[in-house]
Amino acid sequence: MSLLVVGLSHRSAPVSVLERASLSADAQAKLLHDTLAAEPAAEAAVLATCNRIELYADVDKFHAGVAELSTLLAQHSGVGLEELTPYLYVHYEDRAVHHLFSVACGLDSMVVGEGQILGQIKDTLALGQELHTAGRLLNDLFQQALRVGKRAHSETGIDRAGQSLVTFGLEQLAAGAPVGDWAKGKRALVIGAGSMSSLAAATLGRTGIDEIVVANRTHARAERLVEILGESGTAARAIAMADVARELTRVDIAVSCTGATGLVLTGEAVALAVGESLSAPAAPADAASADAAIAEGCPVAFPATAAAGAAMAGFGLVDEALRADGATAAAPDAAAAPDADSLELHGSWAENTERRIARERKDIPVPAGPVKLALLDLAMPRDIDAAVHRVPGVRLVDIESLAEASADAPMAADVDQVRAIVSDEVAAFGAAQRAAHITPTVVALRAMAAEVVAGEVARLEGRLPDLDDKQRSEVTQTVRRVVDKLLHAPTVRIKQLAAEPGGAGYADALRTLFDLDPDAVAAVSRADVNDADVKNRGRS
């Protein structure tokens, strides 16, 4: 069996595709079950965040595995396979391990060094264990990925190479001014009370902002976040979602990160909140341009004032679209250094690996006059209508603009240290897996040897019935020592050889040379998997 990952991320796909391909919790669970039901896969795990969707599996056939995993991703994401395929990347065996370890270290993040992904990897592992879709390989893989990520953050300055997405977003809103100076005297509205919203609220609190207002569909979760902020000395209060419209007219900053599948704040609602009108976009040159604009979520015309007033009354909240009370979009993950190695086995699929989608750069617009309302959208799919760019006095920073702003950010020297750590850990993981692959064969060999010793000792007792207990014990120990010494050097050496690249064949050679029963070897492997499963459930 071999490790395979098929996925798409901010490095390979535009935001519009990632938004449409996002997976709910139920969709992730069904995807895992369907992956195991597919013939090529024996284990599965799905890593789904704001800016990546990756399906990991232990497969017995590469090409069949790629085809099946790609088809399943298309089915469960709702994006057609033909449309999705150009944005997919594939990693196999050691390359797949290298990719996940890089992700865990923050090397494949939108903002290099951003550490939120570690929590998401932990959640991925927990879901695989809960649904029993993660076996020994994926348990080992994701647990080591967590250790590698923690090691990178503790042993290097990768945290200095990049910043949390929240901090980076606030710096973009501040447009070059120190965030602390920019936020001083301001009031902020935080929509959502999940992990990213809570991080945003805490980050704003550290800037010395005057007050934070928290809105969430489940009021109790908003109250809990307010309580936590209060403990750190930040003035905060909770409001109902129905009161967001009123609060938006009073605050200077609004941060949104919910689990809504549609817009939470419409362009018209934001325009009315700041007492401005939404300027009309330039007229499309032709019908095709209009269709393209609509597909990108940019309406070519807006409703009349009466309709806008109705939107204000509902404040553009997609109430029924929220996936769950207090649900938030998964925290944005991680970024950066592509793996230069390639596998010929990938064929045409490898051409999509590390692929960047050519996009027209869109600088984050800064209003000519004073900024009345600064908006930070950390959700995927987006919470805030991109049309608010056309509202005078409003500045919007979202996931897409953050990706563009950070694309050319300088890499710190610490990144090289993290890359070295990743390379070392990949080699160690591969060696451990190859050694583990031969262990059941070695155990079966020793079990067979023990049976031979027991049989010969029993036969000797039949021939020499007058042996006393001490003599019988000495004979038994002598035979065992002889067998152990004969087996010691070959088994130690074969474990060493098996741990090296290309060493998988030694297990087959050992089974052939000693005519080991395949069922006995398989029984040892099953016992190891069951023991690991019980141990992992105890950790989670």
Side-chain angles (χ1 to χ4, degrees):
M1 304 297 282
S2 302
L3 178 65
L4 173 67
V5 56
V6 178
L8 68 160
S9 73
H10 65 98
R11 297 180 64 83
S12 72
V15 171
S16 58
V17 174
L18 285 172
E19 285 181 326
R20 292 166 53 210
S22 61
L23 298 172
S24 66
D26 290 342
Q28 291 178 42
K30 190 159 191 323
L31 173 59
L32 289 175
H33 286 308
D34 288 353
T35 302
L36 281 196
E39 183 177 345
E43 301 180 32
V46 60
L47 178 58
T49 73
C50 282
N51 46 29
R52 77 177 57 246
I53 302 168
E54 296 177 343
L55 182 56
Y56 291 76
D58 186 5
V59 301
D60 57 3
K61 298 174 183 177
F62 172 76
H63 291 291
V66 170
E68 190 65 40
L69 266 58
S70 302
T71 300
L72 288 168
L73 276 175
Q75 289 175 350
H76 290 275
S77 69
V79 179
L81 181 59
E82 185 175 344
E83 181 183 359
L84 190 66
T85 297
Y87 305 119
L88 293 176
Y89 47 75
V90 174
H91 297 295
Y92 191 56
E93 292 285 36
D94 284 354
R95 187 182 179 92
V97 177
H98 190 287
H99 173 73
L100 180 60
F101 288 2
S102 297
V103 168
C105 292
L107 288 182
D108 197 47
S109 295
M110 186 177 292
V111 179
V112 180
E114 205 273 335
Q116 290 292 311
I117 186 63
L118 284 175
Q120 294 161 338
I121 290 176
K122 184 177 181 180
D123 292 342
T124 294
L125 176 60
L127 180 62
Q129 291 174 347
E130 178 186 346
L131 299 178
H132 303 289
T133 64
R136 182 172 61 188
L137 174 61
L138 293 186
N139 270 298
D140 290 349
L141 174 69
F142 278 84
Q143 285 169 2
Q144 184 153 340
L146 290 171
R147 292 193 291 270
V148 174
K150 292 175 183 176
R151 180 186 169 193
H153 285 280
S154 64
E155 295 182 14
T156 75
I158 189 65
D159 293 323
R160 296 192 300 267
Q163 305 151 299
S164 78
L165 207 62
V166 172
T167 302
F168 190 59
L170 292 177
E171 288 183 351
Q172 292 300 306
L173 284 178
V179 173
D181 295 343
W182 170 78
K184 187 176 181 180
K186 288 183 169 63
R187 299 173 70 248
L189 168 65
V190 175
I191 304 174
S195 59
M196 278 302 287
S197 298
S198 299
L199 178 60
T203 304
L204 284 167
R206 287 194 294 271
T207 67
I209 201 165
D210 274 10
E211 183 187 37
I212 296 176
V213 181
V214 181
N216 193 60
R217 190 179 184 187
T218 302
H219 194 66
R221 295 193 65 179
E223 291 282 6
R224 174 56 182 155
L225 178 53
V226 165
E227 181 181 344
I228 294 172
L229 292 171
E231 290 173 356
S232 63
T234 301
R237 58 187 175 87
I239 63 170
M241 290 294 284
D243 296 327
V244 166
R246 183 177 64 253
E247 287 298 329
L248 199 66
T249 65
R250 301 173 177 176
V251 298
D252 308 285
I253 307 165
V255 180
S256 186
C257 188
T258 73
T261 55
L263 294 176
V264 172
L265 300 181
T266 65
E268 297 95 328
V270 171
L272 290 171
V274 296
E276 296 285 352
S277 60
L278 185 64
S279 60
D286 49 38
S289 299
D291 290 341
I294 292 170
E296 288 296 318
C298 301
V300 297
F302 282 93
T305 304
M312 184 62 178
F315 202 63
L317 296 177
V318 190
D319 202 44
E320 294 306 318
L322 290 176
R323 284 194 275 267
D325 284 353
T328 61
D333 61 8
D339 180 358
D341 298 333
S342 63
L343 291 176
E344 293 181 1
L345 189 58
H346 285 186
S348 60
W349 291 90
E351 295 177 3
N352 291 321
T353 306
E354 314 300 355
R355 179 177 178 273
R356 281 189 179 275
I357 301 303
R359 285 176 281 183
E360 180 182 357
R361 187 173 180 84
K362 304 172 185 175
D363 293 331
I364 303 174
V366 180
V371 175
K372 300 178 182 178
L373 181 61
L375 301 173
L376 178 58
D377 186 355
L378 298 172
M380 181 67 74
R382 71 190 77 191
D383 278 349
I384 303 174
D385 191 349
V388 303
H389 280 305
R390 300 199 304 274
V391 180
V394 174
R395 179 168 168 78
L396 170 65
V397 171
D398 57 18
I399 292 292
E400 185 169 15
S401 57
L402 284 175
E404 292 166 349
S406 64
D408 300 321
M411 303 280 281
D414 300 287
V415 170
D416 289 335
Q417 292 181 320
V418 175
R419 287 174 178 165
I421 289 175
V422 169
S423 295
D424 291 344
E425 293 283 358
V426 170
F429 182 82
Q433 289 299 308
R434 288 187 289 270
H437 179 69
I438 204 169
T439 296
T441 302
V442 172
V443 171
L445 173 61
R446 289 192 172 276
M448 184 190 74
E451 290 178 1
V452 171
V453 169
E456 290 302 316
V457 169
R459 195 161 66 90
L460 182 63
E461 289 177 349
R463 292 183 175 182
L464 301 174
D466 296 332
L467 290 176
D468 57 31
D469 291 343
K470 182 177 180 180
Q471 292 172 327
R472 186 180 297 105
S473 177
E474 284 293 333
V475 169
T476 300
Q477 291 299 322
T478 298
V479 176
R480 285 176 178 170
R481 281 195 295 270
V482 170
V483 171
D484 286 343
K485 287 182 178 180
L486 287 173
L487 291 180
H488 177 72
T491 54
V492 169
R493 182 59 181 149
I494 204 166
K495 285 183 178 180
Q496 294 171 341
L497 292 171
E500 297 175 359
Y506 287 101
D508 294 332
L510 199 64
R511 288 192 292 269
T512 301
L513 287 171
F514 287 91
D515 194 23
L516 297 177
D517 183 1
D519 292 337
V521 177
V524 174
S525 298
R526 286 194 298 272
D528 288 346
V529 170
N530 292 335
D531 289 345
D533 189 46
V534 170
K535 186 184 300 182
N536 290 324
R537 285 203 301 271
R539 288 186 186 138
S540 57

